């Protein structure tokens, strides 16, 4: 029971940091990740909120995954989309009252901070293994079905998302490219640091015992 509570706490912490990063990249107006660019585009085109579209697209990916695998929908994956959607809208609501970077310096600070927070957030919530992300699950399925590497599958889906986002006036810009180039590196770096820290902690515990 304690392990479940701990995993859920880590999961929520990761999502909180992740959604902070997403909101900051949106506020930068320099471009977001491919998926978030589509969310912003759908918001600009049809209304609702960015977080609402996170939930809608999450449900869509869950159905696509179920149809592809010919299994029941993995509704637990919707938990991530639901909490992420609430987190994005909450951060944007908080920031809209005071954060409005007009100059280039402020925009770049928002963008860089957002990319870093996004990478750290993903790394944290992946450590929990609490609930899957619908789009990440789609990438895994595509990898299994095609025999491609995960990187290649991720690149293909990202390209498709950018193309669709373009037609919906999505938040595409230099930030989209920087997200693609550096988010993976940040995630891997954080996970590596966490692994080393965990190994040192285990060694200290064993020595003490």
């Amino acid at each position: 029971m304690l392990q479940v509570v701990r995993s859920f706490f880590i999961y929520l912490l990761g999502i909180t940091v992740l959604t902070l990063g997403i909101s900051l990249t949106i506020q930068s107006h320099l471009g977001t990740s491919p998926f978030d660019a589509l969310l912003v585009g759908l918001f600009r085109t049809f209304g609702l909120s960015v977080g609402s579209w996170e939930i809608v697209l999450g449900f869509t990916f869950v159905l696509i995954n179920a149809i592809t695998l010919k299994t029941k929908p993995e509704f637990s994956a919707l938990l991530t989309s639901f909490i992420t959607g609430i987190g994005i809208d909450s951060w944007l609501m908080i920031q809209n009252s005071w954060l409005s970077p007009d100059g280039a310096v402020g925009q770049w600070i928002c963008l860089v901070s957002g990319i870093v927070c996004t990478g750290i957030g993903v790394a944290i919530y992946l450590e929990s293994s609490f609930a899957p992300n619908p789009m990440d699950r789609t990438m895994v399925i595509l990898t299994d079905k095609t025999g491609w590497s995960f990187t290649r599958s991720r690149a293909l889906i990202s390209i498709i998302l950018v193309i669709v986002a373009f037609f919906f006036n999505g938040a595409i810009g230099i930030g989209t490219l920087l997200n693609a180039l550096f988010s993976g590196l940040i995630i891997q770096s954080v996970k590596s640091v966490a692994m080393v820290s965990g190994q040192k902690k285990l060694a200290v515990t064993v020595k003490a015992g």
Side-chain angles (χ1 to χ4, degrees), residues 5-57:
V5 173
R6 179 179 177 276
S7 294
F8 186 64
F9 174 76
I10 294 174
Y11 171 80
L12 283 181
L13 176 62
I15 295 297
T16 300
V17 178
L18 165 65
T19 52
L20 171 60
I22 292 172
S23 66
L24 287 172
T25 58
I26 292 174
Q27 295 283 34
S28 75
H29 301 293
L30 292 175
T32 66
S33 72
F35 185 75
D36 299 324
L38 177 57
L39 297 182
V40 175
L42 292 171
F43 159 68
R44 290 172 176 172
T45 304
F46 300 107
L48 293 180
S49 67
V50 177
S52 296
W53 284 112
E54 166 76 34
I55 298 171
V56 171
L57 286 188

Side-chain angles (χ1 to χ4, degrees), residues 100-200:
S100 181
D102 296 323
V105 174
Q107 289 179 306
W108 276 96
I109 290 175
C110 278
L111 177 62
V112 174
S113 299
I115 293 175
V116 172
C117 286
T118 299
I120 293 175
V122 171
I124 292 174
Y125 97 73
L126 286 178
E127 285 297 310
S128 70
S129 301
F130 192 83
N133 179 289
M135 193 179 74
D136 287 342
R137 182 71 79 195
T138 301
M139 293 178 186
V140 172
I141 293 172
L142 180 60
T143 298
D144 292 340
K145 291 291 185 180
T146 61
W148 294 349
S149 66
F150 186 79
T151 301
R152 185 177 181 182
S153 298
R154 184 183 183 87
L156 175 62
I157 293 178
S158 294
I159 291 171
I160 293 174
L161 289 172
V162 168
I163 292 173
V164 177
F166 174 79
F167 287 105
F168 286 105
N169 189 30
I172 301 172
I174 185 63
T176 307
L177 177 60
L178 294 179
N179 259 287
L181 291 175
F182 295 107
S183 60
L185 294 175
I186 295 171
I187 293 170
Q188 188 58 48
S189 297
V190 174
K191 287 176 69 67
S192 297
V193 171
M195 184 179 297
V196 172
S197 178
Q199 290 174 344
K200 288 182 178 180

